[in-house]
Amino acid sequence: MKEQYPVMKGAEPFYFEGDKTGVLVVHGFTGSTQSVRSLGESFNQAGFTVFGPRLRGHGTHYEDMERSTYIDWCETVEEGYHFLKETCDDIYIAGLSMGGTLSLHLADQYPQTKGIILINAAINIPEMSPEEVPAVRFLDAIGSDIKKENVEELAYEKTPVKSLGEIQQLMKETRQKLPQIEVPARIFVSEVDHVVPPENSSYIYDHLASEDKRLISMEESYHVATLDNDKEKIALESIAFINGLTSSATV
């Protein structure tokens, strides 16, 4: 799809060169790379090569998002995966919210993925179904669910109702894939989340086939935990997870 609007400042893709361990960092529904850039920087400071793609229809204008589909979003992250594979031996995927859903999609597509890091991942949100919302074209924003004061997420001020149907289809297909995903996983979940019910993370944990999986609770953050009080916890736990699985890791 050809987007009609320019990319917002701060919503651009980011790439940080590092070693042969690659980490794909994926933002969420209606959001932008701004929400996960700090996590990407932490990964790079640990030595890893990092790429944060901008999902199609995101980071521009919500009318662009209305024209994008969940297939577009899947293709964006698949392209990002192959981009990292050109220079990296091991690939990890970290995703916030729908970025976590897309991380699961990639883990199913590419079972050689070394590990996945899910942060308040979305797998089942019935109240986000188009049938459950008013018969309008756009709804008010769902972004910036952050406990920490004076922190804002760069996200759309409106949500296209058509896009709710797209994320519903993505979540439905991804739920069906969980029992066949065996990739090691770390699943971060906020105890209070006003966008994605915390039960989503428990469901993912219970249905993933991975033998190496862990649910990590976050007490001081809401939905956008990568910009919230637990962002250092996410980075430290995730880097330890990656170093524990990567044979060439340096201390």
Side-chain angles (χ1 to χ4, degrees), residues 40-58:
E41 290 170 346
S42 295
F43 286 143
N44 183 243
Q45 287 162 11
F48 314 137
T49 295
V50 182
F51 180 48
R54 179 183 63 84
L55 299 176
R56 272 177 225 155
H58 289 72

Side-chain angles (χ1 to χ4, degrees), residues 147-167:
K147 185 175 184 178
K148 191 173 186 178
E149 292 184 4
N150 303 316
V151 178
E152 289 288 324
E153 178 189 14
L154 181 61
Y156 287 147
E157 64 269 28
K158 297 285 184 182
T159 301
V161 169
K162 178 184 175 294
S163 300
L164 296 179
E166 298 298 324
I167 189 175

Side-chain angles (χ1 to χ4, degrees), residues 52-64:
R54 179 183 63 84
L55 299 176
R56 272 177 225 155
H58 289 72
T60 55
H61 190 281
Y62 50 81
E63 288 187 357
D64 274 339

Side-chain angles (χ1 to χ4, degrees), residues 1-249:
M1 60 165 283
K2 189 168 181 355
E3 293 167 324
Q4 297 175 316
Y5 296 88
V7 177
M8 294 187 286
K9 183 171 175 52
E12 306 89 353
F14 57 80
Y15 174 73
F16 309 128
E17 191 172 350
D19 60 20
K20 294 291 186 181
T21 298
V23 188
L24 187 70
V25 186
V26 189
H27 69 80
F29 184 73
T30 77
S32 71
T33 56
Q34 175 259 2
S35 64
V36 292
R37 187 182 181 96
S38 173
L39 180 60
E41 290 170 346
S42 295
F43 286 143
N44 183 243
Q45 287 162 11
F48 314 137
T49 295
V50 182
F51 180 48
R54 179 183 63 84
L55 299 176
R56 272 177 225 155
H58 289 72
T60 55
H61 190 281
Y62 50 81
E63 288 187 357
D64 274 339
M65 184 175 182
E66 186 182 39
R67 296 167 58 241
S68 67
T69 67
Y70 81 98
I71 300 294
D72 290 322
W73 308 332
C74 289
E75 287 178 352
T76 302
V77 294
E78 288 166 17
E79 289 164 6
Y81 187 97
H82 290 296
F83 172 69
L84 280 176
K85 251 327 223 182
E86 291 176 9
T87 57
C88 297
D89 297 331
D90 296 324
I91 304 294
Y92 293 82
I93 310 158
L96 168 69
S97 191
M98 186 180 76
T101 323
L102 291 165
S103 301
L104 289 163
H105 162 75
L106 286 176
D108 176 68
Q109 288 281 102
Y110 307 108
Q112 68 272 28
T113 299
K114 200 76 170 167
I116 52 176
I117 297 156
L118 312 176
I119 306 148
N120 292 327
I123 204 75
N124 187 24
I125 314 176
E127 56 270 30
M128 243 191 217
S129 171
E131 296 81 36
E132 297 295 319
V133 301
V136 295
R137 185 178 171 191
F138 300 109
L139 298 172
D140 287 337
I142 59 169
S144 284
D145 184 33
I146 299 170
K147 185 175 184 178
K148 191 173 186 178
E149 292 184 4
N150 303 316
V151 178
E152 289 288 324
E153 178 189 14
L154 181 61
Y156 287 147
E157 64 269 28
K158 297 285 184 182
T159 301
V161 169
K162 178 184 175 294
S163 300
L164 296 179
E166 298 298 324
I167 189 175
Q168 286 292 336
Q169 188 61 33
L170 175 63
M171 291 190 293
K172 178 183 176 182
E173 292 187 12
T174 306
R175 280 198 301 277
Q176 296 167 350
K177 296 171 182 174
L178 291 177
Q180 61 203 43
I181 296 174
E182 299 179 350
V183 172
R186 291 295 177 269
I187 305 164
F188 292 88
V189 56
S190 294
E191 291 186 359
V192 178
D193 186 327
H194 304 97
V195 179
V196 174
E199 295 77 31
N200 278 242
S201 293
S202 302
Y203 184 95
I204 293 167
Y205 178 84
D206 290 340
H207 290 81
L208 269 182
S210 314
E211 288 186 13
D212 180 1
K213 57 184 176 180
R214 194 171 141 221
L215 200 59
I216 302 169
S217 180
M218 298 181 292
E219 300 174 359
E220 297 300 326
S221 299
Y222 295 155
H223 182 63
V224 192
T226 48
L227 292 176
D228 216 329
N229 294 306
D230 289 295
K231 70 177 189 177
E232 286 82 10
K233 178 178 183 176
I234 296 169
L236 288 170
E237 291 270 8
S238 299
I239 290 165
F241 170 57
I242 295 171
N243 280 335
L245 292 175
T246 303
S247 55
S248 60

